[in-house]
Each structure stands twice: as C-alpha cells, then as structure tokens.
Amino acid sequence: MTRLLKQHLGGIPPSLRNTLLLAIPTAFDLTATILMSIGLLFVTASVYQMLRGAEMLFAAIFSVVFLKRTLNKYNYIGIICCLVGICGVGISSVLSGQGSASFDVTQSQILLGMALIVCSQAVQAAQVTVEDYVMNDIGTAPLQVVGYEGIFGCLAMFCVLLPIVQHTPGQDGSGLHEDSWETWHLITHSPTLPYMVPTLVLSLLCYNIAGMFVTDEIGAVASTVLETMRTLFVWIVDLVLWYTPLGLGRLGEKWDNYSYLQLVGFVILVIGTVVYGRGDEQHVESHKNQITSTHPHLHWQGAVKKLRDLRRPLHRSTYGIASAARSAVLISRHAKAAAAHTAAMEEAEPSA
C-alpha cells in the first residue's frame, strides 16, 4: 500500500495554471452528477446503473476526435454491443413502467430520466478526456487530481450552487429550491443520518482510491468485471428490497416479464465493455510491436511499466479507452528518445 501511495503521489508538482485547469473536469463532474441524479428520480436503480455504460460510446467518440485515435474491430464490436445493450435496457424500462419508489411515473417521465442519464454520460466522458490530458500530458499524479477535484467540487457546492438554490423561489422538494438549513436540521435530528452521511463520504473516498490501485495491478478488463459486479449487486439489492420486509413495502424493484429483456441487455453491455477493453489492449500491443520491429535494440520494460502506471485515469468509466491512445504516443516518445540516445552513443565511440 505504501509503495502504491508513493507511486500515485509522485508525478510533477502542479503549477497554479495546471491546478486551476482541474476546475474544468470538476465542473463536468458536477454537471453529470446533477443530470444523473435528476434522471434517477424517474427510473429504477438498476436501469440507472446499466445506462451509465453509455459513457463508453461518448468516450470512444471523444478519443477519436480529440485524441486522434483509430478504432479496431474489437472497438467497433464493443460499441455495437453497447448500443444494443442500452436499447434493450431502455425498452425494458419503458415497457415495465417501473420508476421512482416515491411516486408514480409515466412513460414520458421514464424516457426523460433515461435521456438525462445518457446525456450525463456524455458530460462525464468529456471529464475523463480532460483528466487524461492533465495526467498523461501534463504529468499530474492521479491522487493529486482526485484531491484537487474534491476541493474544487466542495468550493463550487458550498460557495456557488447551494447559495443559488437556497435563494431560488419555490418550495423545497418541488423544484430547484433547496433549503440547506432544513437539510442540516434533518441531519442533526435524525437517528441514522449522522452516521450514514460520513459513511457515504468515506466509502466514495475508498472507492476512488481503490479503483486506481485495482486498475494498475490487475488491468483494465478486470476493472470492467468489478464495475459489472457493482451494477449486478445494485440490481440484486433492489430485488431483495422488493421481496422482503426490508423494502417497507415500497422500496426496490420487482421481477416481471420485461426483466428478462433487461437481463439480456445487461449481459450484452458487459460483453461489449470487455470486448472494447480487449481492443484497447490490442492497440498498445500492435503499436509496441511495430516500433520494436523498427528498433529491435530498444528495451521496452521501462516503457511498458510506465504505461501501466498511467492507465489509471479512466478506470471508473472508460476502462482505459482514451489512455490506450496516449499509451501509443508514450511508446513512440520512448522509442525516439532511446533511438536518439543510441545514436549519440555510437557517435561518441569513434571519438573515444
């Protein structure tokens, strides 16, 4: 653990400009969270989790447009599977009519909720692309990025967003108005919330840090499997709440005829994500082999280790989608540097 912390806290100390640059992915993250939270009001938790797989589609588009990346057959197969899976999950949600546990929802509201969640994934893909640039091009350490984004997020929430919605006209819970003083009163006078809120904050912190280490140590495809297990676990908990007294008769999600379609869509989503990750691995390997054949005298262990260290940024969403393009660039840079060093050594030998 100590070694991993030192590794992720390494990096180049960020300048003021680079630190302020992290406000951009923070704004993307806040925007995506707001859209996802509103969308969650109209759909079940399992559908919400599965639709977040749409981020892979937008990350692929951004990696091609902004990172100048090309896609291989595995990438295209993964994208097609992702599209089919999302359509299956969305159709099953609309047909089943299940949505919020607090109020009845219409099909149009379910469609609105799903649209907001898909839009949020486009915003989050933009966030990941900026993070990739900050860590791989500028050299900011991953834990520094997480820390600064947390600081900027807290400042934006407490100093900008909450004061705005506090003074927005309306009734709390019926629109944009949010009474922060009432929220504080509810937290301090509840027997459970004072324990649940810190637990949530701590769990999110551990999740983000652990996600970096998992991706670095066991790879992007294994991280995909773990993310899939989280979605599956949410669905199982939803079913348990519905069919046991734990749900208080109104929480959870029931299993109906359309749940089979949702299950099929979920499986196709998982397959698409894993296949896409395989395509990213092939990108790195093919580029490495190409340069190795051109410069057979180069030593690649250091480059491969460095690439593995830099694969973390996208663990929680794109599973290395954009970082594969950066990996190819880094391999190329390593090859050029090594070739220049070899040429300088050869020139120095005759004079010696």
Side-chain angles (χ1 to χ4, degrees):
M1 176 64 77
T2 302
R3 176 183 64 83
L4 290 172
L5 284 173
K6 289 181 179 179
Q7 171 184 329
H8 287 277
L9 283 172
I12 301 173
S15 63
L16 178 61
R17 174 187 173 277
N18 295 340
T19 301
L20 295 177
L21 187 63
L22 292 172
I24 298 175
T26 302
F28 285 147
D29 194 13
L30 283 174
T31 303
T33 302
I34 291 172
L35 294 175
M36 284 189 292
S37 299
I38 297 175
L40 181 57
L41 293 174
F42 307 116
V43 300
T44 60
S46 63
V47 171
Y48 162 81
Q49 283 290 124
M50 294 176 193
L51 289 179
R52 294 183 67 180
E55 184 174 355
M56 187 182 75
L57 303 176
F58 297 107
I61 295 173
F62 293 160
S63 67
V64 171
V65 175
F66 298 108
L67 303 182
K68 307 304 179 183
R69 181 191 167 188
T70 58
L71 302 178
N72 57 32
K73 62 179 181 179
Y74 290 104
N75 296 139
Y76 285 116
I77 293 174
I79 290 174
I80 293 173
C81 289
C82 186
L83 281 171
V84 174
I86 289 174
C87 290
V89 171
I91 292 172
S92 69
S93 178
V94 173
L95 294 178
S96 66
Q98 295 189 70
S100 172
S102 304
F103 55 90
D104 295 329
V105 294
T106 63
Q107 286 190 342
S108 59
Q109 288 176 321
I110 294 176
L111 288 172
L112 173 62
M114 291 191 297
L116 290 174
I117 294 172
V118 172
C119 289
S120 72
Q121 299 315 292
V123 177
Q124 206 150 49
Q127 172 200 346
V128 169
T129 303
V130 177
E131 286 178 342
D132 184 46
Y133 166 76
V134 170
M135 278 182 285
N136 292 345
D137 284 22
I138 297 179
T140 306
L143 282 182
Q144 290 177 338
V145 173
V146 173
Y148 282 119
E149 285 187 359
I151 293 173
F152 283 131
C154 289
L155 291 175
M157 285 296 298
F158 291 114
C159 300
V160 180
L161 295 180
L162 287 179
I164 290 176
V165 296
Q166 177 74 30
H167 295 88
T168 301
Q171 184 179 357
D172 193 7
S174 300
L176 295 177
H177 176 74
E178 169 67 31
D179 192 338
S180 300
W181 299 115
E182 183 180 6
T183 301
W184 177 254
H185 176 82
L186 291 174
I187 293 176
T188 55
H189 290 77
S190 170
T192 57
L193 286 179
Y195 304 100
M196 294 178 64
V197 173
T199 301
L200 175 62
V201 173
L202 181 62
S203 66
L204 290 174
L205 174 64
C206 294
Y207 170 74
N208 280 318
I209 294 178
M212 302 178 204
F213 299 152
V214 166
T215 302
D216 284 344
E217 296 303 312
I218 65 177
V221 175
S223 296
T224 303
V225 176
L226 292 179
E227 288 284 332
T228 299
M229 294 304 296
R230 182 181 66 166
T231 302
L232 183 61
F233 182 73
V234 168
W235 197 4
I236 292 174
V237 169
D238 247 6
L239 294 172
V240 170
L241 289 175
W242 180 267
Y243 290 104
T244 64
L246 296 174
L248 305 177
R250 60 187 181 88
L251 299 178
E253 175 184 353
K254 67 179 180 180
W255 184 276
D256 55 23
N257 293 331
Y258 303 108
S259 298
Y260 294 101
L261 177 59
Q262 182 179 348
L263 178 61
V264 172
F266 172 64
V267 172
I268 295 176
L269 266 173
V270 174
I271 294 174
T273 306
V274 173
V275 171
Y276 198 107
R278 178 68 186 91
D280 284 334
E281 297 290 347
Q282 190 181 68
H283 267 298
V284 176
E285 289 297 325
S286 62
H287 199 87
K288 184 184 73 173
N289 293 335
Q290 178 184 357
I291 299 181
T292 302
S293 62
T294 307
H295 305 280
H297 57 284
L298 295 182
H299 184 63
W300 290 101
Q301 289 183 355
V304 172
K305 183 180 183 301
K306 183 64 176 175
L307 297 179
R308 184 178 300 171
D309 293 342
L310 291 174
R311 288 189 66 81
R312 170 267 162 225
L314 313 179
H315 78 275
R316 65 179 182 273
S317 48
T318 60
Y319 317 113
I321 288 172
S323 63
R326 292 299 178 196
S327 298
V329 174
L330 287 168
I331 289 176
S332 179
R333 290 175 183 172
H334 180 81
K336 292 176 181 178
H341 177 73
T342 303
M345 293 293 292
E346 292 175 349
E347 291 176 359
E349 285 179 358
S351 59

